[in-house]
Amino acid sequence: MKIIDLRVMRGPNYWSVKHPKIIVIKLALEELDQKLTASVPPLLSRLKKMFPGMQRHRSAEGVEGGFFKIVAEGTTFGHVVQHIALELQTMAGMDSGYGRCYPAHEAGHMYVVFSYQEERAGEYAAYAAVRITKALIRGEKYKLNDDINRLHQIREDEYFGPSTYAIVSEAVSRGIPYIRLNRHSLIQLGYGVHQKRIQATMTCKTACFSVEIAGDKDATKDMLDEAGIPVPRGTTVTSLEELKRAINWLGYPLVLKPQDGNHGKGASINITNLKDAQKGFAAARKYSSGVIVEQFIAGFDFRLLVINGKFVAAAKRTPAMIIGDGSATIKQLIDRENKDPRRGIGHEKVLTKIKLDRDTKNILKNRNLTTRSVLAAGQVLYLKSTANISTGGTATDVTDLVDPYNILMAERIAGLIGLDICGIDVMTTDIAIPLHEARGAVLEVNAAPGFRMHISPTEGLPRNVAEPVVDMLFPHGKPARVPIIAVTGTNGKTTTTRLIAHMVKSKGFQVGYTTTEGIYIQDKLLVKGDTTGAYSAEFVLKDPTINFAVLECARGGLLRSGLGFQQCDIGIVTNVSSDHLGLGDIHTLEELARLKAVIPKSVSKDGYAVLNADDELVYAMAAEVDCKVAFFSMDENNPRILKHIAKGGLAAVFENGYISIFKNSYKIRIDRVADVPLTFGGKARFNIENILAATLAGYIAHFEIEDIKTALRTFIPSPSKTPGRMNLFKFPHFEVLVDYAHNVGGLRAIGAYMSQLEASRKIGVVAGVGDRRTEDFYEIGRVAGEIFDEVIVRLDADLRGKTPEEITGPMLLGVEEVAPDKPVRVIPEEMRAIAYALEHAKPGAFVAIFTEDVYESVKMVESFKVIQDRKMLVD
């Protein structure tokens, strides 16, 4: 058994719309094909021994232990891989819980799908699960801890910290989308012009100079002192000589910490002699050239949190500690404390496991203790010099106990430093007493303070401190999203996308859109290529200048990684016909329709799915969506349309030569089809379908009827506006069409248009794309033979694993079947094939060029036309 394909889905996808973050692996079962788990009797006991936590896996049984029951009765080994992958992540603090198995089309293969929290962890879990399954089958020893430790490491390296997670979760709960901008904690909340950014608890509103001030502890202390806020006396030293002079001035006990440090790194507290002071100086110098020497203030460590100028929470922090029982050693007491289920690695759980690091060893040494020492019953030993949660400390919520004087002081400090999110460290005996009365002091002001102690205190009430952050970034009534219209289908999606983008721009929006030609921001081509996947969608949604997005979504991107957004406002499906079947494990039209249906299924509840009522597979999607539905049809008497509007539904139809909208029993005529340039005088019927879909989108977006009409009339098809889509060139004696049509449906649509033309001879330059099936090549040949008087067969530059003969052979057979005597010529190179067609075109001929390289083909045709026009002038 081995993995032969692995895909990471990051958005709604073919496998699941409701669980966008999933790993999809394709397994070759090899020797395990046709075998079930019951054929390996020891497997169940081995599974239970290695993964006792799997008792919680309900599986299809719906009860605890359900999966183990299924294993005993007999299930596929892919099912075992799925559950091990999920349990591995759970054991590493990344519980996800969704999984499925599906048979593949090929015998001996299956798909295993499971959710993830961090994609690198999901990928690792997939391969580890296969290794473990094989080891369990063979009864081999396996070092499970190596995998768990590696997954822990991935989680700590790449998963959101607790502060980032809290803010993102709060945003998502309000329907605010997010995009992770790097592997760390840089997050975009919202889309386009409405976006805001955070990194941990720093936001786009956090002033750089305020962070600088907070990082300069001397400057901060001076500012607070001048504002009448109690601070410990102290100074900054850079040498041991200066340290001695500071000690003589301040006396003991002392605190030493880096001038530019944070999170307690390099800090030493309660220093009572010169030797310890010198050690503390050396520890602080690792983080900063300047070392702050301050009076040690007795009392408890408190953190006050101010957000957007308002006090929101307070916590009492206690360093990692143990309490003796008169028999256990210090090491045993630490191990016992680390068994607390609330403690995990890093930020995995509410508390962090206590490590025997250098700080702890120094504390033990100073107290003449070792890890083998036994503490007396009830004796408390603090194991860290700082009270940070990240080093094993605990936190108690004291928000409701803070004296009003101290609240005002905290808010003043945040204002003085200028921080939107401000953590203030206070040392005092009682936070319920004004700081100056309790002889306490402000020790430090922190930019980007951690939220963990407030959202998950060890004791006391958890505080949703992420709420005021999101309130600050997105005040009530302020939008976070931009309207998104997503377009998919086999044919017509690029033209529909461009037409809608033109309509949106005409309304004054700054639109970003994606097509098979590239990514456009405000009509400027920024990225050239087929940009219809998730990356391209995110490119648009990350752009800070756009306030409307129109996104073409093709099958390839959907299969690779899913959609680049979680929800859209309008989802359009133009049609579903045979194309790319057999590629990416999509073998049937029904499977292709299921893939395209991801778009309407991703429409928000208040949005609209715009579906083609003339297409059986597209019409059926209406039954699967959770949003409103609008249909379009080329037949106003289509029973589906009549039934829909009878129920008060919305539709667009082609009737009596008009583009019209049906709303309830009312008919709203938009424009005459013949007056819309994209229809080429009404001859390009396939473009009428695209116009109907675009018109519905504009109407749903609340565009005025007159504005929709103006947009339709001003959208002039041309190589610059619609490259590779019905690009017509009138030569002196013949006409040329350049089009990107590359499947039977597209070819037939062009054929229907050409049947209305008066041409003495119709010549087609056609090709079969290498990733198609043999029957697809044959069918393209048949259709070309039906449409054209002469056929020129060319090849794409990339044959995608096929030989030339494997492509041209079936095409030639297809032409021969419908027209045995029809002239057919094979010219492999695209530009040579185009040149031949142009050079040999007779007066009155119509040449249809179906191109792979739109820009080069158009360029060649335009150059040839210039030459022909010059000849006409000379003649």
Side-chain angles (χ1 to χ4, degrees), residues 72-152:
E73 293 171 350
T75 188
T76 65
F77 289 97
H79 199 189
V80 175
V81 169
Q82 170 205 316
H83 280 265
I84 291 177
L86 288 170
E87 185 64 14
L88 285 172
Q89 294 178 87
T90 298
M91 293 171 73
M94 295 174 284
D95 194 12
S96 46
Y98 172 80
R100 293 288 186 273
C101 289
Y102 304 93
H105 280 271
E106 305 95 321
H109 294 76
M110 73 180 306
Y111 287 103
V112 176
V113 175
F114 62 88
S115 54
Y116 66 86
Q117 286 189 11
E118 168 50 51
E119 64 180 62
R120 273 187 60 216
E123 290 180 75
Y124 185 90
Y127 287 101
V130 172
R131 292 195 301 269
I132 292 169
T133 302
K134 290 159 76 171
L136 289 172
I137 292 169
R138 297 166 185 162
E140 299 171 348
K141 289 185 178 180
Y142 190 88
K143 295 182 179 179
L144 182 63
N145 281 339
D146 289 350
D147 287 332
I148 303 302
N149 291 338
R150 178 60 185 141
L151 286 167
H152 272 302

XYZ file of all heavy atoms in Angstrom, residues 72-152:
639
model
N -13.216 -4.775 13.684
C -13.402 -6.186 14.040
C -14.253 -6.907 13.003
O -13.978 -8.056 12.639
C -14.047 -6.284 15.420
N -15.279 -6.217 12.501
C -16.174 -6.842 11.531
C -15.542 -6.917 10.147
O -15.849 -7.816 9.367
C -17.483 -6.057 11.459
C -18.288 -6.146 12.760
C -19.475 -5.190 12.758
O -19.549 -4.343 11.830
O -20.313 -5.290 13.670
N -14.668 -5.952 9.855
C -13.994 -5.920 8.561
C -14.273 -4.651 7.795
O -15.408 -4.391 7.400
N -13.259 -3.856 7.621
C -13.365 -2.640 6.821
C -12.105 -2.507 5.981
O -11.156 -3.288 6.137
C -13.562 -1.395 7.714
O -13.836 -0.258 6.893
C -12.328 -1.100 8.559
N -12.068 -1.519 5.102
C -10.907 -1.364 4.228
C -9.712 -0.829 5.005
O -9.862 -0.157 6.033
C -11.227 -0.401 3.075
O -11.463 0.904 3.613
C -12.420 -0.860 2.291
N -8.535 -1.084 4.497
C -7.332 -0.576 5.156
C -7.169 0.933 4.917
O -6.505 1.613 5.687
C -6.111 -1.363 4.679
C -6.092 -2.764 5.210
C -6.569 -3.824 4.454
C -5.629 -3.026 6.489
C -6.591 -5.112 4.947
C -5.635 -4.319 7.004
C -6.111 -5.367 6.235
N -7.802 1.435 3.872
C -7.832 2.882 3.692
C -8.581 3.556 4.816
O -8.224 4.658 5.255
N -9.634 2.905 5.311
C -10.407 3.417 6.441
C -9.524 3.496 7.688
O -9.622 4.441 8.489
C -11.604 2.491 6.681
C -12.689 3.123 7.492
N -13.765 2.417 7.984
C -12.881 4.402 7.901
C -14.562 3.225 8.659
N -14.041 4.439 8.626
N -8.645 2.522 7.857
C -7.713 2.533 8.988
C -6.734 3.700 8.846
O -6.456 4.415 9.817
C -6.945 1.190 9.073
C -5.892 1.243 10.173
C -7.919 0.044 9.315
N -6.221 3.911 7.640
C -5.305 5.030 7.389
C -5.986 6.352 7.748
O -5.393 7.220 8.387
C -4.859 5.045 5.906
C -4.143 6.346 5.559
C -3.955 3.848 5.615
N -7.247 6.485 7.353
C -7.996 7.713 7.642
C -8.046 7.978 9.144
O -7.747 9.092 9.608
C -9.418 7.589 7.095
C -10.365 8.697 7.526
C -11.809 8.252 7.493
O -12.234 7.612 6.550
N -12.564 8.581 8.534
N -8.413 6.991 9.927
C -8.576 7.195 11.372
C -7.230 7.390 12.083
O -7.157 8.145 13.063
C -9.366 6.030 11.982
C -10.841 6.154 11.776
N -11.684 6.707 12.705
C -11.623 5.845 10.705
C -12.930 6.721 12.241
N -12.911 6.196 11.021
N -6.191 6.722 11.602
C -4.872 6.943 12.212
C -4.398 8.361 11.933
O -3.848 9.035 12.823
C -3.859 5.903 11.692
C -4.205 4.508 12.230
C -2.428 6.288 12.093
C -3.300 3.400 11.720
N -4.612 8.848 10.709
C -4.205 10.215 10.368
C -4.903 11.233 11.258
O -4.298 12.217 11.704
C -4.493 10.499 8.890
N -6.173 11.022 11.531
C -6.927 11.928 12.400
C -6.435 11.834 13.842
O -6.251 12.850 14.522
C -8.419 11.599 12.341
C -9.136 11.969 11.032
C -10.532 11.369 10.994
C -9.204 13.480 10.860
N -6.201 10.604 14.321
C -5.780 10.431 15.707
C -4.375 10.974 15.947
O -4.087 11.537 17.016
C -5.846 8.944 16.094
C -5.534 8.664 17.557
C -6.530 9.278 18.527
O -7.629 9.708 18.102
O -6.201 9.340 19.734
N -3.490 10.826 14.975
C -2.143 11.397 15.100
C -2.215 12.904 15.331
O -1.512 13.443 16.198
C -1.322 11.114 13.839
C -0.791 9.695 13.647
C -0.178 9.544 12.256
C 0.255 9.363 14.709
N -3.064 13.575 14.563
C -3.197 15.022 14.722
C -3.793 15.373 16.082
O -3.363 16.329 16.741
C -4.062 15.598 13.604
C -3.420 15.484 12.229
C -4.333 16.024 11.148
O -4.323 17.212 10.853
N -5.138 15.152 10.565
N -4.776 14.579 16.522
C -5.384 14.819 17.831
C -4.347 14.676 18.939
O -4.293 15.491 19.868
C -6.542 13.834 18.064
O -7.542 14.056 17.069
C -7.152 14.025 19.438
N -3.506 13.670 18.842
C -2.476 13.436 19.863
C -1.445 14.554 19.900
O -0.774 14.751 20.912
C -1.792 12.087 19.605
C -2.701 10.884 19.809
S -1.962 9.325 19.265
C -0.763 9.062 20.573
N -1.327 15.284 18.801
C -0.391 16.408 18.746
C -1.084 17.748 18.983
O -0.532 18.806 18.694
C 0.322 16.425 17.390
N -2.330 17.684 19.497
C -3.024 18.916 19.842
C -3.735 19.585 18.690
O -4.028 20.781 18.751
N -4.029 18.825 17.628
C -4.699 19.395 16.454
C -5.919 18.551 16.104
O -5.948 17.867 15.084
C -3.723 19.485 15.272
C -2.580 20.444 15.490
S -1.345 20.405 14.171
C -0.480 18.887 14.563
N -6.918 18.598 16.947
C -8.118 17.803 16.729
C -8.894 18.362 15.540
O -9.086 19.563 15.424
C -8.990 17.843 17.986
C -10.069 16.778 17.973
O -9.998 15.885 17.116
O -10.975 16.843 18.823
N -9.306 17.491 14.621
C -10.065 17.969 13.465
C -11.333 17.134 13.267
O -12.434 17.654 13.296
C -9.205 17.978 12.200
O -8.490 16.776 12.064
N -11.208 15.823 13.079
C -12.361 14.956 13.238
C -13.173 14.549 12.032
O -14.052 13.704 12.148
N -12.927 15.116 10.836
C -13.737 14.747 9.674
C -12.937 13.842 8.755
O -11.769 14.120 8.444
C -14.168 15.994 8.900
C -14.856 15.689 7.587
C -16.199 15.321 7.554
C -14.168 15.746 6.383
C -16.846 15.036 6.360
C -14.802 15.467 5.173
C -16.137 15.107 5.170
O -16.759 14.814 3.983
N -13.575 12.761 8.284
C -12.889 11.868 7.353
C -13.867 11.029 6.550
O -14.984 10.755 6.995
N -13.434 10.643 5.357
C -14.252 9.798 4.488
C -13.331 8.942 3.614
O -12.178 9.308 3.366
C -15.143 10.637 3.567
C -16.236 11.438 4.272
C -17.350 10.534 4.791
N -18.455 11.311 5.344
C -18.516 11.743 6.604
N -17.509 11.492 7.427
N -19.567 12.417 7.035
N -13.864 7.831 3.132
C -13.152 6.996 2.155
C -14.069 6.756 0.954
O -15.284 6.594 1.116
C -12.761 5.650 2.772
S -11.448 5.769 3.991
N -13.466 6.750 -0.236
C -14.224 6.556 -1.465
C -13.460 5.611 -2.384
O -12.228 5.689 -2.470
C -14.436 7.878 -2.201
C -15.103 8.962 -1.400
C -14.332 9.898 -0.699
C -16.489 9.063 -1.341
C -14.943 10.909 0.036
C -17.108 10.061 -0.608
C -16.326 10.988 0.080
O -16.931 11.975 0.804
N -14.164 4.766 -3.112
C -13.470 3.942 -4.111
C -13.043 4.794 -5.298
O -13.726 5.753 -5.665
C -14.536 2.926 -4.519
C -15.844 3.611 -4.242
C -15.620 4.471 -3.045
N -11.899 4.484 -5.883
C -11.436 5.169 -7.092
C -11.938 4.399 -8.308
O -12.406 3.258 -8.204
C -9.921 5.261 -7.101
N -11.844 5.043 -9.483
C -12.294 4.374 -10.703
C -11.406 3.180 -11.042
O -11.889 2.158 -11.527
C -12.298 5.363 -11.873
C -13.502 6.247 -11.896
N -14.672 5.913 -12.536
C -13.724 7.453 -11.319
C -15.565 6.868 -12.377
N -15.017 7.827 -11.641
N -10.097 3.331 -10.770
C -9.186 2.240 -11.090
C -9.285 1.147 -10.025
O -9.332 1.435 -8.828
C -7.733 2.734 -11.158
C -7.517 3.880 -12.119
C -7.565 5.226 -11.437
O -8.408 5.414 -10.531
O -6.760 6.094 -11.795
N -9.262 -0.083 -10.449
C -9.283 -1.202 -9.508
C -8.023 -1.149 -8.636
O -6.945 -0.797 -9.104
C -9.354 -2.519 -10.270
N -8.190 -1.494 -7.366
C -7.042 -1.530 -6.464
C -6.630 -0.179 -5.918
O -5.569 -0.058 -5.302
N -7.464 0.837 -6.115
C -7.165 2.179 -5.613
C -8.358 2.725 -4.825
O -9.508 2.344 -5.079
C -6.847 3.134 -6.761
C -5.597 2.797 -7.503
N -5.534 1.747 -8.409
C -4.352 3.363 -7.483
C -4.306 1.686 -8.909
N -3.578 2.653 -8.362
N -8.080 3.613 -3.898
C -9.158 4.287 -3.184
C -8.691 5.654 -2.711
O -7.480 5.926 -2.613
C -9.660 3.441 -2.020
C -8.752 3.352 -0.809
S -9.486 2.308 0.493
C -11.097 3.050 0.721
N -9.671 6.500 -2.424
C -9.388 7.831 -1.901
C -9.629 7.848 -0.401
O -10.621 7.301 0.097
C -10.291 8.876 -2.555
C -9.919 9.186 -3.977
C -10.664 8.667 -5.038
C -8.824 9.987 -4.264
C -10.323 8.940 -6.344
C -8.475 10.261 -5.575
C -9.232 9.741 -6.610
O -8.886 10.015 -7.903
N -8.715 8.505 0.305
C -8.870 8.736 1.738
C -8.863 10.244 1.952
O -7.941 10.936 1.515
C -7.742 8.066 2.550
C -7.877 8.421 4.028
C -7.771 6.560 2.353
N -9.898 10.731 2.590
C -10.061 12.165 2.814
C -10.145 12.409 4.313
O -10.907 11.723 5.011
C -11.363 12.663 2.132
C -11.614 14.127 2.456
C -11.289 12.451 0.626
N -9.357 13.355 4.821
C -9.454 13.691 6.247
C -9.092 15.160 6.457
O -8.361 15.756 5.681
C -8.560 12.787 7.104
C -7.087 12.879 6.801
C -6.274 13.822 7.428
C -6.506 12.019 5.882
C -4.926 13.913 7.144
C -5.153 12.097 5.587
C -4.347 13.053 6.228
N -9.646 15.731 7.514
C -9.458 17.161 7.782
C -8.139 17.415 8.504
O -7.520 16.505 9.066
C -10.624 17.698 8.606
O -10.808 16.933 9.779
N -7.736 18.675 8.473
C -6.498 19.083 9.148
C -6.678 20.481 9.722
O -7.569 21.238 9.308
C -5.311 19.066 8.176
C -5.408 20.104 7.074
C -4.942 21.410 7.269
C -5.954 19.793 5.827
C -5.036 22.369 6.259
C -6.049 20.747 4.825
C -5.588 22.024 5.049
O -5.682 22.980 4.061
N -5.826 20.829 10.686
C -5.770 22.203 11.177
C -4.602 22.945 10.541
O -4.730 24.098 10.160
C -5.634 22.233 12.706
C -6.915 21.868 13.439
C -6.802 22.110 14.934
O -5.873 22.732 15.417
N -7.763 21.598 15.681
N -3.472 22.262 10.440
C -2.277 22.848 9.825
C -1.872 21.929 8.676
O -1.643 20.734 8.874
C -1.156 22.984 10.853
C 0.209 23.300 10.290
C 0.187 24.479 9.326
O -0.348 25.537 9.696
O 0.687 24.313 8.196
N -1.774 22.474 7.461
C -1.647 21.604 6.291
C -0.366 20.771 6.284
O -0.382 19.623 5.849
C -1.785 22.391 4.993
C -0.730 23.423 4.702
C -1.011 24.117 3.366
O -2.051 24.766 3.224
O -0.166 23.992 2.471
N 0.746 21.320 6.755
C 1.974 20.505 6.795
C 1.811 19.336 7.748
O 2.329 18.233 7.504
C 3.168 21.370 7.217
C 3.854 22.091 6.053
C 5.121 22.781 6.501
N 6.086 21.869 7.054
C 6.901 22.158 8.078
N 6.836 23.328 8.664
N 7.768 21.275 8.516
N 1.095 19.552 8.822
C 0.818 18.464 9.767
C -0.090 17.431 9.111
O 0.092 16.222 9.292
C 0.184 19.015 11.033
N -1.076 17.899 8.342
C -1.962 16.969 7.639
C -1.205 16.110 6.645
O -1.435 14.898 6.544
N -0.290 16.737 5.894
C 0.512 15.978 4.931
C 1.370 14.941 5.644
O 1.457 13.789 5.223
C 1.408 16.937 4.140
C 0.658 17.831 3.168
C 1.606 18.751 2.411
O 2.290 18.258 1.506
O 1.669 19.943 2.743
N 2.016 15.371 6.742
C 2.874 14.443 7.481
C 2.038 13.285 8.029
O 2.433 12.119 7.947
C 3.577 15.168 8.627
C 4.566 14.288 9.368
C 5.898 14.222 8.973
C 4.154 13.491 10.437
C 6.798 13.400 9.639
C 5.041 12.664 11.090
C 6.363 12.616 10.692
O 7.252 11.788 11.341
N 0.856 13.605 8.567
C 0.000 12.572 9.149
C -0.425 11.547 8.097
O -0.568 10.361 8.401
C -1.228 13.217 9.784
N -0.617 11.998 6.865
C -1.027 11.079 5.795
C 0.037 10.002 5.581
O -0.270 8.800 5.565
C -1.265 11.859 4.506
N 1.276 10.439 5.394
C 2.345 9.468 5.135
C 2.637 8.619 6.369
O 2.896 7.405 6.262
C 3.612 10.195 4.676
C 3.505 10.726 3.268
C 3.227 12.068 3.027
C 3.652 9.887 2.170
C 3.118 12.556 1.730
C 3.541 10.360 0.872
C 3.269 11.701 0.658
O 3.151 12.178 -0.627
N 2.585 9.240 7.549
C 2.823 8.486 8.776
C 1.734 7.434 8.973
O 2.023 6.305 9.405
C 2.864 9.438 9.975
N 0.489 7.772 8.662
C -0.616 6.828 8.845
C -0.433 5.587 7.974
O -0.750 4.467 8.408
C -1.937 7.519 8.519
N 0.067 5.770 6.759
C 0.322 4.623 5.888
C 1.446 3.763 6.472
O 1.337 2.528 6.507
C 0.669 5.087 4.458
C 1.125 3.913 3.599
C -0.535 5.774 3.814
N 2.516 4.413 6.939
C 3.625 3.649 7.544
C 3.142 2.853 8.757
O 3.484 1.671 8.924
C 4.746 4.604 7.982
C 5.484 5.280 6.852
C 6.788 5.898 7.357
N 6.576 6.887 8.415
C 6.405 8.189 8.202
N 6.409 8.664 6.972
N 6.230 9.026 9.212
N 2.343 3.496 9.596
C 1.868 2.848 10.817
C 0.932 1.683 10.484
O 1.029 0.602 11.081
C 1.160 3.875 11.725
C 2.183 4.883 12.263
C 0.446 3.182 12.880
C 1.562 6.089 12.946
N 0.041 1.889 9.541
C -0.891 0.820 9.154
C -0.131 -0.417 8.679
O -0.445 -1.550 9.074
C -1.844 1.311 8.043
O -2.560 2.460 8.513
C -2.823 0.227 7.646
N 0.888 -0.188 7.859
C 1.682 -1.321 7.366
C 2.412 -2.028 8.511
O 2.496 -3.262 8.558
C 2.656 -0.829 6.299
C 1.953 -0.413 5.007
C 2.784 0.510 4.155
C 3.884 -0.177 3.420
N 4.539 0.725 2.439
N 2.932 -1.238 9.454
C 3.641 -1.829 10.597
C 2.676 -2.634 11.473
O 3.017 -3.727 11.963
C 4.314 -0.724 11.415
N 1.462 -2.125 11.680
C 0.481 -2.834 12.494
C 0.054 -4.140 11.830
O -0.124 -5.162 12.508
C -0.748 -1.939 12.727
C -0.560 -0.742 13.664
C -1.789 0.154 13.646
C -0.272 -1.215 15.086
N -0.089 -4.119 10.530
C -0.467 -5.348 9.807
C 0.614 -6.411 9.969
O 0.329 -7.600 10.192
C -0.704 -5.029 8.318
C -1.960 -4.166 8.153
C -0.836 -6.315 7.498
C -2.126 -3.588 6.758
N 1.880 -5.978 9.884
C 3.006 -6.920 9.956
C 3.411 -7.252 11.386
O 4.237 -8.143 11.607
C 4.209 -6.325 9.221
C 3.976 -6.112 7.726
C 5.052 -5.233 7.150
N 4.800 -4.917 5.742
C 5.375 -3.918 5.075
N 6.246 -3.145 5.704
N 5.084 -3.697 3.814
N 2.867 -6.531 12.353
C 3.245 -6.762 13.743
C 4.632 -6.238 14.074
O 5.276 -6.718 15.013
N 5.074 -5.234 13.324
C 6.406 -4.652 13.542
C 6.355 -3.553 14.600
O 5.331 -2.888 14.779
C 6.948 -4.073 12.234
C 7.124 -5.107 11.129
C 7.450 -4.471 9.787
O 7.320 -3.237 9.665
O 7.822 -5.215 8.862
N 7.483 -3.366 15.292
C 7.580 -2.279 16.264
C 7.600 -0.943 15.519
O 8.133 -0.848 14.422
C 8.841 -2.428 17.107
C 8.792 -3.591 18.087
C 10.029 -3.618 18.973
C 9.956 -4.747 19.985
N 11.173 -4.785 20.853
N 7.026 0.057 16.156
C 6.972 1.375 15.505
C 7.168 2.452 16.572
O 6.556 2.413 17.639
C 5.627 1.577 14.797
C 5.620 2.802 13.909
C 6.038 2.724 12.589
C 5.217 4.038 14.400
C 6.047 3.837 11.766
C 5.221 5.166 13.593
C 5.640 5.066 12.274
O 5.669 6.167 11.486
N 8.033 3.415 16.271
C 8.317 4.513 17.206
C 7.301 5.635 16.997
O 7.547 6.607 16.300
C 9.739 5.028 16.998
C 10.815 4.011 17.343
C 12.210 4.597 17.151
C 13.287 3.593 17.526
N 14.656 4.153 17.321
N 6.160 5.468 17.635
C 5.071 6.435 17.476
C 5.457 7.817 17.994
O 5.072 8.839 17.420
C 3.821 5.930 18.199
C 2.571 6.819 18.085
C 2.117 6.933 16.632
C 1.451 6.260 18.964
N 6.225 7.858 19.065
C 6.590 9.150 19.661
C 7.364 10.040 18.691
O 7.277 11.268 18.767
C 7.419 8.948 20.935
C 6.543 8.592 22.122
O 5.339 8.863 22.104
N 7.129 7.990 23.134
N 8.107 9.425 17.775
C 8.845 10.233 16.786
C 7.866 11.029 15.918
O 8.093 12.207 15.620
C 9.710 9.330 15.898
C 10.901 8.753 16.657
O 11.151 9.198 17.794
O 11.563 7.858 16.100
N 6.768 10.375 15.519
C 5.764 11.064 14.705
C 5.046 12.136 15.512
O 4.805 13.241 15.018
C 4.748 10.061 14.151
C 5.330 9.200 13.038
O 6.260 9.673 12.351
O 4.857 8.063 12.870
N 4.687 11.805 16.752
C 3.973 12.786 17.588
C 4.851 13.997 17.850
O 4.396 15.151 17.767
C 3.526 12.149 18.917
C 2.640 10.925 18.657
C 2.794 13.174 19.777
C 1.410 11.215 17.841
N 6.132 13.761 18.134
C 7.045 14.884 18.376
C 7.205 15.752 17.135
O 7.274 16.988 17.222
C 8.412 14.365 18.833
C 8.375 13.754 20.225
O 7.480 14.066 21.015
N 9.322 12.883 20.526
N 7.271 15.108 15.968
C 7.402 15.878 14.731
C 6.148 16.700 14.473
O 6.214 17.867 14.069
C 7.641 14.918 13.561
C 7.747 15.598 12.205
C 8.883 16.591 12.161
N 8.909 17.325 10.903
C 9.193 18.603 10.787
N 9.490 19.316 11.864
N 9.215 19.188 9.617
N 4.997 16.128 14.750
C 3.736 16.861 14.570
C 3.638 18.022 15.560
O 3.152 19.106 15.220
C 2.546 15.918 14.730
C 2.310 14.961 13.551
C 1.329 13.864 13.926
C 1.803 15.726 12.336
N 4.100 17.790 16.799
C 4.153 18.885 17.777
C 5.021 20.022 17.256
O 4.670 21.205 17.368
C 4.730 18.384 19.111
C 3.693 17.833 20.046
N 2.619 18.566 20.477
C 3.591 16.612 20.641
C 1.883 17.820 21.306
N 2.445 16.634 21.414
